[in-house]
Amino acid sequence: MTLDDIGLYSNSTSRPGSQRPLHAQARCVCSLIRRYLPRHKNDNAWKINVYIQDDPAEGRVATANGIASVTLTRDVDRFFSLGDVEKKQFAFDALLEGARIVSEHHSWPTAEITEAFRKAEQDQLVNEWRFQPKWNPSRKLRAFVRCAHELQEFRAWMCVEDRNGKLVAEQHLFDETPEEFCYFPRLGTVRWTDKATVRLNDRSGE
């Protein structure tokens, strides 16, 4: 199998109900790191799950059904008290530690996985990208969806630039919950309907 994803979850007993919001908010950091993962082929796991909890944890690794899980001791309440920049760093640090422990446990090439984290840090943990750049029929304009995956939401804009890369139009498309299963279905196909009109179809074709 191929390592393809990483996630952060809460196991906190002192803050019931923290698992979904923590996972959703940390997902912007997880998906940024995922973009740079080396797609390491291995016999153990396609995903790393890092669980954090207030109670003492030994960093023991458990691997089942293609998921390698590790639990770390972290102050979960503190995560929710931080600002957005600090939350990203909190998530990044926990994910890096968890990935290191799992990599060493399974004798994976830690240097390659650490490089993925270095690249995410080089991006200052800002998860933005262009989705499906596409030229119009006359090849004078290029449209793309500008995606911004933040802690609280995923945002998308349709942008159009000329051949010199100058932005000539931008329109907000939608805001969505910052988890892939919520926003991914809305990112279907960028399509020019004529030389001056472009639209984004969702994955159902609508």
Side-chain angles (χ1 to χ4, degrees), residues 77-95:
D77 281 338
R78 179 172 174 270
F79 173 85
F80 290 100
S81 71
L82 297 172
D84 285 358
V85 173
E86 292 78 14
K87 280 182 177 179
K88 287 183 179 183
Q89 190 63 52
F90 182 106
F92 178 88
D93 292 342
L95 290 163

Side-chain angles (χ1 to χ4, degrees), residues 48-111:
I48 297 172
N49 280 350
V50 180
Y51 292 88
I52 59 174
Q53 63 185 44
D54 307 293
D55 300 326
E58 299 178 11
R60 184 175 299 169
V61 176
T63 303
N65 300 318
I67 298 176
S69 301
V70 60
T71 303
L72 307 176
T73 302
R74 291 291 189 277
D75 187 343
V76 176
D77 281 338
R78 179 172 174 270
F79 173 85
F80 290 100
S81 71
L82 297 172
D84 285 358
V85 173
E86 292 78 14
K87 280 182 177 179
K88 287 183 179 183
Q89 190 63 52
F90 182 106
F92 178 88
D93 292 342
L95 290 163
L96 178 58
E97 176 68 7
R100 182 190 63 78
I101 293 171
V102 170
S103 298
E104 291 178 354
H105 176 82
H106 286 303
S107 300
W108 292 347
T110 55

Side-chain angles (χ1 to χ4, degrees), residues 4 13 39 65 67 78 114 125 143 153 156 160 170 184:
D4 185 55
T13 56
R39 302 300 187 264
N65 300 318
I67 298 176
R78 179 172 174 270
T114 301
L125 305 184
E153 61 189 353
V160 179
E170 181 177 75
F184 187 72

Side-chain angles (χ1 to χ4, degrees), residues 92-149:
F92 178 88
D93 292 342
L95 290 163
L96 178 58
E97 176 68 7
R100 182 190 63 78
I101 293 171
V102 170
S103 298
E104 291 178 354
H105 176 82
H106 286 303
S107 300
W108 292 347
T110 55
E112 293 181 10
I113 294 174
T114 301
E115 178 65 8
F117 282 84
R118 188 195 67 79
K119 289 179 178 178
E121 196 167 35
Q122 200 170 43
D123 290 340
Q124 300 181 343
L125 305 184
V126 175
N127 191 354
E128 294 187 2
W129 73 95
R130 292 184 173 196
F131 176 74
Q132 277 195 7
K134 191 166 292 185
W135 290 102
N136 72 342
S138 66
R139 298 193 64 80
K140 292 182 178 180
L141 298 172
R142 182 166 58 179
F144 59 90
V145 178
R146 179 165 68 88
C147 301
H149 190 171

